[in-house]
């Protein structure tokens, strides 16, 4: 048990809890870019259950060197009520350090939400972000984890 506990402490991505009904994937359209370029990150959140779920959260780890646009225009657009009266793609968001935190008031059965988010390549270097995770807000003990995003940014 000691070795297993030791390995867990040093894992880059903790093991996902199979009981978590919220699943998460994250990806970058480019893992190599140049300073000043834009890289698209895609966040996909899935309700893997046949039942609707309450408030859901996705905490997305951002690699250093990449930055969200200062006006957050894209994320704010996702919060707008669509013309057809359906649900917005995102309830709200916040940024804490290198993490983008996304919230949904509820998830429909088997709902899949895909959010493209454009990031600016600011500082040259090789970067890896923290692991990302998703969970139901009122059951944060059960988390689904996603591998850290990695990017290499070359100088102009």
């Amino acid at each position: 048990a000691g070795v297993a506990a030791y390995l867990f402490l040093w894992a880059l991505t903790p093991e996902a809890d199979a009981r978590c009904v919220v699943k998460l994937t994250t990806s970058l359209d480019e893992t190599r870019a140049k300073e000043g370029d834009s890289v698209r990150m895609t966040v996909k959140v899935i309700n893997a259950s046949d039942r609707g779920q309450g408030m859901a959260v996705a905490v997305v780890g951002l690699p250093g060197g990449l930055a969200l646009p200062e006006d957050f225009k894209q994320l704010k657009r996702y919060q707008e009520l669509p013309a057809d009266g359906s649900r917005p793609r995102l309830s709200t968001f916040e940024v804490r350090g290198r993490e983008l935190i996304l919230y949904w008031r509820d998830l429909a059965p088997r709902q899949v939400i895909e959010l493209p988010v454009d990031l600016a390549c600011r500082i040259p270097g090789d970067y890896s972000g923290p692991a990302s995770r998703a969970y139901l807000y009122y059951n944060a003990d059960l988390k689904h984890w996603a591998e850290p995003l990695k990017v290499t940014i070359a100088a102009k």
Side-chain angles (χ1 to χ4, degrees):
V3 173
Y6 177 78
L7 290 176
F8 175 76
L9 290 174
W10 293 101
L12 292 177
T13 308
E15 189 172 332
D17 192 309
R19 299 170 295 168
C20 184
V21 297
V22 181
K23 308 299 180 197
L24 171 70
T25 62
T26 59
S27 63
L28 295 173
D29 68 348
E30 299 288 333
T31 57
R32 294 177 129 353
K34 290 186 180 168
E35 182 181 5
D37 287 354
S38 180
V39 172
R40 176 158 285 181
M41 174 179 66
T42 301
V43 177
K44 187 186 277 190
V45 174
I46 301 165
N47 175 6
S49 167
D50 290 327
R51 293 182 38 217
Q53 301 297 328
M55 190 170 201
V57 180
V59 181
V60 180
L62 302 173
L66 294 177
L68 289 159
E70 292 176 16
D71 62 5
F72 300 112
K73 190 183 301 184
Q74 193 175 32
L75 292 166
K76 289 176 182 177
R77 228 180 8 254
Y78 294 147
Q79 293 178 277
E80 295 172 2
L81 190 64
D84 65 4
S86 62
R87 301 173 185 202
R89 291 171 71 180
L90 180 65
S91 295
T92 193
F93 68 93
E94 63 181 308
V95 178
R96 264 193 244 146
R98 290 178 37 201
E99 294 182 323
L100 170 61
I101 306 160
L102 307 168
Y103 299 91
W104 293 270
R105 284 183 177 73
D106 56 12
L107 297 174
R110 299 285 173 193
Q111 184 175 6
V112 176
I113 299 167
E114 192 168 302
L115 295 178
V117 180
D118 295 324
L119 303 171
C121 298
R122 295 267 166 85
I123 303 167
D126 294 319
Y127 300 100
S128 179
S132 299
R133 60 215 176 265
Y135 55 93
L136 294 175
Y137 186 82
Y138 295 106
N139 196 358
D141 290 341
L142 306 180
K143 290 184 174 76
H144 183 265
W145 290 86
E147 292 289 322
L149 295 170
K150 296 177 183 177
V151 67
T152 297
I153 301 171
K156 284 186 182 181

